[in-house]
Amino acid sequence: MATKAKFQAIRGTRDLLPPETALWNRVEQTAHEVFATFGFGEIRLPIFESTDLFSRAVGGETDIVSKEMYTFSNPTSLAAMVRGGRTEGMLSDMLLSEAEMISLRPEATASVCRAYIEHNMQQLPQPVKLYCMGPMFRRERPQKGRYRQFYQIDAEVLGGTDAPAIDAEVIEMVMTFFDKLELQGVLLEINSIGDRNCRPKYVELLRAELSKVKDKLGPDSQRRIETNPLRVLDSKVKEEQSIIEKLPRMADHLCEDCATHYSAVKHQLEMRGVIYRENWRLVRGLDYYMRTTFEITAQGLGSQNAVCGGGRYDGLVELLGGPPTKGIGFAIGEDRLILSLQESGKAPAQQGRDVYIAWMGERAHATAIRAAKDLRKAGFSVELPPVEQKFGKALGQADKLGAKYALILGDNEVSEGLWTLKTLADGSQAKYTEPDLLAHLRKSL
Ligand code: AMP
């Protein structure tokens, strides 16, 4: 006999279950509220896009694009070819040339920029302030705080000026959001990684200096001397730390415009009372960043402690075929944000019911249905058992569900028009008329 297949969530993906999902909702609701106070509007984006969009925006050499994307050919083009009457032989030839490659999105900024261009948002009052939230997909090695399907809350400011006040306000917004959530151990680190003028020269200098100490570096850093020397600064390898500390620093090689911009961003942060730490080794993994970069870490996350990464990317819209456009944004790792809130005890406890209706008898059932409807309409969470139960069992069940009250409805209560309400915490009970009961619950819940 064939054994029954036992299905499990794919490695790196997971189910989010109640009561944890209540915390996810609270976090997302807080984001909607806080971001709205800063004038941001929500954009909802497709989960998959043309692969080219990501390779152009994020960069073909990055790990995300070269190793981690879920990419496949778009089956609709195949269907279109079949409908178009092409034979199977022709199909396989055409498949390679015509099929569009699409990828599950590994991040959101590229899509937001694509949408900005596609919907001519440069004609709206600038800057355009957008945010979005949802799943991202990267084929990374799964571990605590790192998944293959993970969730981000993302905000972007596009168009208008690159005034340092914009950088500071975006950072102020995410810090306000974390503050509202009472996220613990929040540390904001900032850096400037220069622009097209000054960064290439610095990268060359860095490459030259790294080549001199190549033998002392591990294999990853050795490889990065050629592919992406900035990433060497990111290295966590213990033996490399003393070498990295002696390398030239971007801050000493910024062009005048970048240096002025960076000091103005710091001043703007101070005016807003945002506490930061400078970290000259902070670089971002994605190609499109320039000037202001920042990262926020929080407590309780072990080695994967970054909850937010962001920065300026003035050239990106143009790179994707749009007009020259300033841009800055951030992505919050929602999974990690939730983990940190849970670790510090900021997660709400099990969501209990307000009222469990313990009913017995046909007449009481009809009254119970009506009572449930009225209580729910008033906003209370009500559990109405579908079948009759003995009172003892009903009260046990109410306890297990964490209900605050049991509303007891038997023949007596229905004929007297006086309902019994039992407070489960202390076992006390009292009788109420229907309107009094509602008023009492409103006062005490
Ligand atoms: P990035 O888009 O790489 O700048 O990442 C922004 C934030 O998303 C990070 O600071 C993390 O909090 C989160 N993040 C990135 N990759 C993952 C992942 N594989 N699993 C969970 N969170 C992630």
Side-chain angles (χ1 to χ4, degrees):
M1 212 175 85
T3 49
K4 271 195 198 154
K6 198 170 154 209
F7 293 111
Q8 284 188 320
I10 304 285
R11 197 168 120 83
T13 74
R14 63 203 179 117
D15 303 306
L16 303 171
L17 307 172
E20 188 183 308
T21 39
L23 179 58
W24 284 74
N25 283 326
R26 178 158 76 84
V27 163
E28 288 167 14
Q29 188 53 36
T30 307
H32 289 301
E33 285 165 17
V34 172
F35 294 0
T37 65
F38 283 80
F40 280 67
E42 187 184 7
I43 179 170
R44 297 197 183 197
L45 298 158
I47 299 287
F48 52 85
E49 299 259 11
S50 157
T51 302
D52 284 348
L53 172 70
F54 300 119
S55 36
R56 181 99 64 93
V58 180
E61 293 301 313
T62 57
D63 284 355
I64 293 181
V65 168
S66 63
K67 297 195 277 213
E68 296 170 0
M69 285 208 296
Y70 289 91
T71 297
F72 38 95
S73 67
N74 192 351
T76 55
S77 39
L78 179 63
M81 284 185 236
V82 173
R83 272 202 304 278
R86 281 156 182 161
T87 64
E88 253 179 58
M90 286 166 77
L91 263 182
S92 53
D93 290 344
M94 300 193 68
L95 210 54
L96 284 175
S97 57
E98 279 194 27
E100 178 196 18
M101 297 311 284
I102 56 177
S103 299
L104 300 184
R105 59 183 189 185
E107 57 102 53
T109 308
S111 303
V112 175
C113 291
R114 193 240 341 113
Y116 179 86
I117 300 167
E118 189 169 332
H119 303 286
N120 287 320
M121 290 192 219
Q122 67 273 15
Q123 287 173 11
L124 301 172
Q126 304 293 301
V128 173
K129 301 193 263 186
L130 298 168
Y131 73 95
C132 61
M133 44 185 86
M136 305 293 157
F137 304 86
R138 294 181 197 170
R139 195 184 283 112
E140 292 190 276
R141 195 169 54 79
Q143 55 180 282
K144 186 185 171 199
R146 187 188 279 165
Y147 311 97
R148 291 181 166 181
Q149 175 173 338
F150 61 100
Y151 295 78
Q152 283 188 342
I153 301 177
D154 192 272
E156 315 287 347
V157 179
L158 290 163
T161 96
D162 60 356
I166 294 195
D167 306 45
E169 195 180 70
V170 163
I171 295 174
E172 182 190 4
M173 180 169 89
V174 61
M175 295 299 274
T176 305
F177 171 56
F178 287 161
D179 198 43
K180 192 111 194 243
L181 291 172
E182 299 181 59
L183 185 67
Q184 302 294 299
V186 176
L187 174 67
L188 163 68
E189 293 188 314
I190 63 167
N191 191 22
S192 174
I193 54 168
D195 67 2
R196 255 180 283 206
N197 284 325
C198 51
R199 193 171 42 191
K201 279 182 235 148
Y202 170 69
V203 169
E204 274 324 303
L205 176 68
L206 193 61
R207 188 173 273 137
E209 290 303 312
L210 283 169
S211 302
K212 291 184 199 160
V213 291
K214 187 172 177 181
D215 299 345
K216 298 192 188 112
L217 299 171
D220 280 345
S221 291
Q222 287 200 0
R223 194 166 27 83
R224 287 182 175 140
I225 297 178
E226 289 317 313
T227 57
N228 194 349
L230 281 177
R231 288 298 307 280
V232 177
L233 304 181
D234 232 4
S235 161
K236 306 274 187 298
V237 178
K238 212 165 134 228
E239 295 71 33
E240 296 179 350
Q241 301 308 308
S242 59
I243 303 166
I244 293 172
E245 279 303 314
K246 291 192 206 95
L247 291 170
R249 304 182 172 203
M250 184 73 233
D252 301 327
H253 297 272
L254 292 174
C255 59
E256 209 182 315
D257 285 351
C258 285
T260 310
H261 192 270
Y262 187 40
S263 57
V265 169
K266 288 185 277 185
H267 178 59
Q268 285 284 335
L269 286 173
E270 284 147 24
M271 291 202 325
R272 290 166 164 77
V274 175
I275 295 165
Y276 62 85
R277 187 162 89 183
E278 286 183 83
N279 177 359
W280 72 275
R281 288 176 55 179
L282 181 69
V283 292
R284 310 281 312 133
L286 315 183
D287 274 1
Y288 50 63
Y289 285 110
M290 57 172 286
R291 285 196 177 163
T292 312
T293 51
F294 57 97
E295 189 166 270
I296 302 170
T297 50
Q299 84 180 22
L301 294 172
S303 61
Q304 304 299 320
N305 64 349
V307 282
C308 175
R312 180 163 279 290
Y313 50 82
D314 291 348
L316 184 56
V317 170
E318 198 174 355
L319 184 73
L320 297 176
T325 306
K326 309 291 183 196
I328 182 165
F330 62 75
I332 295 167
E334 197 177 351
D335 307 75
R336 293 185 194 174
L337 173 57
I338 300 272
L339 263 174
S340 180
L341 290 171
Q342 287 170 327
E343 295 282 325
S344 58
K346 294 287 168 198
Q350 168 92 27
Q351 241 189 338
R353 311 293 190 280
D354 295 322
V355 182
Y356 188 97
I357 305 185
W359 59 270
M360 255 190 107
E362 271 316 298
R363 273 179 69 208
H365 194 190
T367 308
I369 290 171
R370 190 165 52 75
K373 196 187 276 285
D374 289 345
L375 288 170
R376 284 172 178 153
K377 204 166 155 197
F380 299 116
S381 153
V382 177
E383 192 65 29
L384 176 67
V387 292
E388 191 174 62
Q389 293 167 322
K390 295 244 162 30
F391 282 126
K393 188 165 175 225
L395 292 179
Q397 189 73 1
D399 235 8
K400 275 193 213 140
L401 289 174
K404 297 191 188 84
Y405 294 101
L407 174 60
I408 298 172
L409 292 176
D411 282 344
N412 287 349
E413 279 80 6
V414 174
S415 46
E416 281 174 18
L418 280 176
W419 298 358
T420 305
L421 190 71
K422 190 177 179 77
T423 307
L424 288 160
D426 60 11
S428 66
Q429 53 185 61
K431 293 203 167 206
Y432 296 92
T433 62
E434 196 176 340
D436 284 353
L437 179 96
L438 212 60
H440 175 75
L441 287 177
R442 278 219 173 92
K443 248 191 283 145
S444 52
L445 278 173

